[in-house]
Amino acid sequence: MMLKEAVSAAECVALQLASDTERYAELGRKLRSTSFSTALTIARGSSDHACNYVAYLIMARLGRVVASLPMSLVTLNKSPLVTRDTLAISISQSGQSPDVVEPIRYFRDGGATTVALVNDIDSPLAHAAEWAMPLRAGKEQSVAATKSFITSLVAGARMVAQWQNDPELQAGLEALPEALLEATRVDWSPAIDVLAPARNIMVVGRGISFPVALESALKFKETSALQAEAFSGAEIKHGPMALIEDGYPLLIFATRGPTQAGLLQLATEMRGRGAKVLLAAPADVAERDLTLPVAATPDLDPIVAIQSFYVMAAKLSAARGMDPDAPRHLSKVTKTN
């Protein structure tokens, strides 16, 4: 089921891109005409990783600083947060968890602009937000989110493209369904050979690729019971370096952009220290171990990168004798306060 749903992402993205066009344009006009002193994201798990990606796009393209809200400030501490001139963005597959719904309701009641990118458009979160934008991923059966994560990234990029009124980014989004289909066909079997017997792994990214590292590490834990930690390429030389020994596996996402050169250099250095590096990079990088698909523009590369990863992760879980559709101790909808 996980593999089937992951591969269906291109179809879901095509449906999303064909829907709600005027609603996104209207949201873009609203965002351009509103002055924000604070911008926040509100999410958990894979949705929080999607928020990391959207926040990076907003900061890099629109110059607004975006922070992730610790939801307990609202749900448990009852802190008197200032809501005026605030943009609050939530991403959720189910839209059910109280610690996501309550902050959005709090900020909306206080006059903030609230946006929910949510798969269940009839959920409490969708009703709580001023702007509820459906992911159009359809019902997701597998516990491990795949197509809903990809459609979350696309919805966030659509919002940014309309906010910035950028024709290039909008055109790049329109080309995504075909790019995602191509990404499902990329051969990442060398990663399975390395990771099927592994006990742990570091997943590394930086900048626009770091949210993909976060999501990949979560999926390794969730579907393969593989102890995985995500690090920025800028941080790994601090404490995490002490863990590196002969044969220690590292998956490095070196997507296009200004952070790529540093990640390629890191891969070379880690190989010199004895690590078993799986360097995921575009086809023009000769030293790559895994080929990263690319989108029409580098800012969309993480979307097709995670598509290739998901296909590999589903096969890795089976290779490790596990069922990716029934992870231990996990359920599809998690509700926390």
Side-chain angles (χ1 to χ4, degrees), residues 223-224 313-324:
T223 64
S224 284
K315 295 177 179 178
L316 174 64
S317 180
R320 289 171 65 87
M322 304 187 70
D323 181 358

Side-chain angles (χ1 to χ4, degrees), residues 47 90-96 100 117-120 125 135 152:
S47 294
S90 182
I91 297 178
S92 176
Q93 188 270 326
S94 71
Q96 299 287 336
V100 176
L117 309 178
V118 59
N119 201 34
D120 185 351
L125 177 62
L135 300 181
S152 295

Side-chain angles (χ1 to χ4, degrees), residues 195 198-201 217 220-222 224-228 316 320:
L195 298 176
R199 297 181 60 187
N200 47 28
I201 184 173
F220 278 137
K221 289 183 281 232
E222 196 173 36
S224 284
L226 182 58
Q227 178 58 49
L316 174 64
R320 289 171 65 87

